[in-house]
């Protein structure tokens, strides 16, 4: 069960080799880049450079039998296929080799933040929906809903990261300005200050002592404004009903151009068509809220699934709650091959703590 601290801890950029070369993704401060990679490694630059698994060249790992092996496209290629999307299931990765890229836009990124009152929610969702088919590879969007600490009214925040000039970013940011935000801030920052600048420089808030971070998630292929509006209204009411609840609705819209350029068959990761990663985040210190929070978030996940664009529940393993099951994590079309690999490399199910592949 996902009681995870820091899943939305940061938007971090990982630099390898020198400040002028990098690979980039989204991962929490308590999660290593290799750990993020094994699930796929989604992130704000995936439209330009793909997922982290698409930059992975090889790994060295200890399998369940105690054997130290190398896995790459040329060596143990079947294992390398499985590692890229279901990598928690086969052993312990001791080292990884990645392809790196010149720093995008010379290491500069336009960071834009917008804050809205609740009444603007439909307008915000419509603005986000317009990018379902047109999000440029250089632009990443993140939206979240949170409660006002004073009156418990729901607020909406939107962050945009654009890897290009501020002039070129203007056309993509104008729809959010026209809605009429309470606050907005648009600035250009170095890539290694993205985290500090995003959302007006607000701290994450998850790492509170004795905090329960109870997360459900799913992937979407489309934005259904009616569903998003309905969830917003439900969440706004939940904030009022449970004043101790500090949970949020987090929605990540990352571009998919380079992700879709990689054939689906190349890796075990099954969700390349996903446009949105939704995290339904329950934060609270009072454990008596476990039951109502679970019920609310499970219901919300089911509602989003109905209009997700996917026939079945699709869940990125890096965000999984744990109750979804192997078909949601790995898809029916890839599960058979993964089961065969599991039997070969971990027949005793030693590595079955995190989104396990079934033994048969």
């Amino acid at each position: 069960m996902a009681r995870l601290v820091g899943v939305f801890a940061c938007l971090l950029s990982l630099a390898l080799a020198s400040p002028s070369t990098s690979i980039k993704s989204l991962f929490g401060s308590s999660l290593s880049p290799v750990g993020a990679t094994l699930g796929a490694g989604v992130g704000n630059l995936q439209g330009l450079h793909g997922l982290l698994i698409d930059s992975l060249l090889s790994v060295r790992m200890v399998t369940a039998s105690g054997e130290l092996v190398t896995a790459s496209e040329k060596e143990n290629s079947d294992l390398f296929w499985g590692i890229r999307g279901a990598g928690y299931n086969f052993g312990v990765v001791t080292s990884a080799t990645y392809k790196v890229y010149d720093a995008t836009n010379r290491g500069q990124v336009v960071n834009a933040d917008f804050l809205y009152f609740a009444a603007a929610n439909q307008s915000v969702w419509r603005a986000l929906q317009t990018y379902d088919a047109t999000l440029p590879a250089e632009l990443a969007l993140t939206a979240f809903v949170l409660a006002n600490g004073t009156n418990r009214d729901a607020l909406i925040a939107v962050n945009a990261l654009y890897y290009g000039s501020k002039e070129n970013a203007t056309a993509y940011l104008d729809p959010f300005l026209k809605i009429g935000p309470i606050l907005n801030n648009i600035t250009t920052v170095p890539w290694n200050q993205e985290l500090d600048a995003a959302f007006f420089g607000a701290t994450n808030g998850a790492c509170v002592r004795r905090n329960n971070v109870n997360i459900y998630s799913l992937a979407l292929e489309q934005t259904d404004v009616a569903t998003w509006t309905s969830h917003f209204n439900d969440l706004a009411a939940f904030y009022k009903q449970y004043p101790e609840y500090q949970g949020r609705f987090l929605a990540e819209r990352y571009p998919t151009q380079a992700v879709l350029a990689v054939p689906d068959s190349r890796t075990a990761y099954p969700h390349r068509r996903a446009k949105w990663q939704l995290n339904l985040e329950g934060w609270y210190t009072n454990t008596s809220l476990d039951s109502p929070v679970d019920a609310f978030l499970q219901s919300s996940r089911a509602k989003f699934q109905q209009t997700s664009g996917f026939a079945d529940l699709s869940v990125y393993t890096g965000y999984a709650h744990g109750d979804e099951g192997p078909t949601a994590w790995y898809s029916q079309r890839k599960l058979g091959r993964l089961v065969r690999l599991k039997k070969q490399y971990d027949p005793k199910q030693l590595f079955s703590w995190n989104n396990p592949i079934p033994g048969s």
Side-chain angles (χ1 to χ4, degrees):
M1 182 174 291
R3 296 290 196 268
L4 303 179
V5 174
V7 170
F8 183 52
C10 349
L11 279 168
L12 291 178
S13 298
L14 170 67
L16 298 180
S18 77
S20 63
T21 59
S22 68
I23 58 174
K24 297 202 175 187
S25 185
L26 178 150
F27 54 92
S29 60
S30 57
L31 180 65
S32 76
V34 175
T37 302
L38 297 179
V42 302
N44 47 41
L45 275 172
Q46 65 178 45
L48 295 171
H49 302 314
L51 304 164
L52 272 178
I53 54 172
D54 301 327
S55 296
L56 185 66
L57 299 177
S58 67
V59 300
R60 292 273 283 170
M61 65 182 300
V62 179
T63 66
S65 66
E67 182 181 7
L68 180 63
V69 302
T70 297
S72 68
E73 291 282 6
K74 296 182 178 180
E75 190 173 358
N76 295 307
S77 59
D78 58 341
L79 180 59
F80 192 56
W81 177 88
I83 285 170
R84 290 174 295 168
Y88 317 118
N89 280 274
F90 303 108
V92 177
V93 174
T94 60
S95 65
T97 302
Y98 293 87
K99 176 182 178 180
V100 297
Y101 306 88
D102 291 338
T104 305
N105 193 43
R106 299 178 299 280
Q108 299 296 303
V109 57
V110 176
N111 178 86
D113 292 306
F114 309 93
L115 184 68
Y116 304 94
F117 285 127
N121 83 92
Q122 276 193 320
S123 297
V124 174
W125 310 146
R126 290 193 187 101
L128 294 171
Q129 184 189 47
T130 63
Y131 289 111
D132 272 8
T134 62
L135 189 72
E138 299 83 5
L139 179 64
L141 301 170
T142 304
F144 74 83
V145 177
L146 71 162
N148 183 311
T150 302
N151 59 18
R152 302 293 294 165
D153 286 348
L155 298 171
I156 306 162
V158 175
N159 173 260
L161 295 174
Y162 183 75
Y163 292 86
S165 69
K166 188 179 291 188
E167 292 73 24
N168 290 342
T170 300
Y172 304 117
L173 302 179
D174 276 349
F176 299 104
L177 287 168
K178 290 178 180 177
I179 296 171
I182 311 165
L183 298 172
N184 72 87
N185 181 56
I186 302 173
T187 186
T188 299
V189 298
W191 65 263
N192 59 356
Q193 294 181 21
E194 289 173 16
L195 172 62
D196 294 332
F199 295 108
F200 304 99
T203 58
N204 166 48
C207 297
V208 176
R209 189 174 179 84
R210 292 185 294 274
N211 203 21
N212 289 271
V213 181
N214 183 6
I215 298 174
Y216 291 78
S217 72
L218 76 162
L220 309 181
E221 194 180 18
Q222 62 186 17
T223 312
D224 184 82
V225 172
T227 303
W228 288 53
T229 302
S230 175
H231 176 70
F232 178 86
N233 292 333
D234 291 343
L235 180 56
F238 200 80
Y239 284 145
K240 298 285 189 177
Q241 184 177 1
Y242 296 98
E244 293 179 88
Y245 181 71
Q246 300 298 324
R248 303 187 305 193
F249 167 66
L250 170 67
E252 300 166 345
R253 176 63 170 103
Y254 297 139
T256 58
Q257 289 86 337
V259 177
L260 292 173
V262 177
D264 175 71
S265 61
R266 185 170 295 176
T267 67
Y269 180 67
H271 307 306
R272 289 184 179 272
R273 288 167 42 210
K275 294 178 179 177
W276 285 101
Q277 298 290 346
L278 301 191
N279 278 342
L280 310 173
E281 301 182 340
W283 296 359
Y284 48 94
T285 57
N286 183 353
T287 56
S288 69
L289 294 182
D290 280 346
S291 292
V293 169
D294 280 330
F296 175 65
L297 297 184
Q298 288 169 6
S299 173
S300 299
R301 183 179 62 184
K303 182 184 295 186
F304 275 111
Q305 169 55 28
Q306 292 175 1
T307 60
S308 68
F310 292 117
D312 301 306
L313 179 64
S314 300
V315 177
Y316 171 47
T317 59
Y319 296 158
H321 183 85
D323 67 328
E324 305 91 350
T327 300
W329 304 325
Y330 305 120
S331 79
Q332 191 62 48
R333 71 183 184 280
K334 300 200 176 189
L335 195 54
R337 184 175 176 183
L338 285 169
V339 168
R340 291 191 293 273
L341 282 173
K342 186 71 169 176
K343 289 180 179 179
Q344 179 181 352
Y345 287 100
D346 186 20
K348 296 182 180 180
Q349 297 280 312
L350 298 180
F351 295 96
S352 295
W353 297 97
N354 189 4
N355 308 321
I357 298 168
S360 60

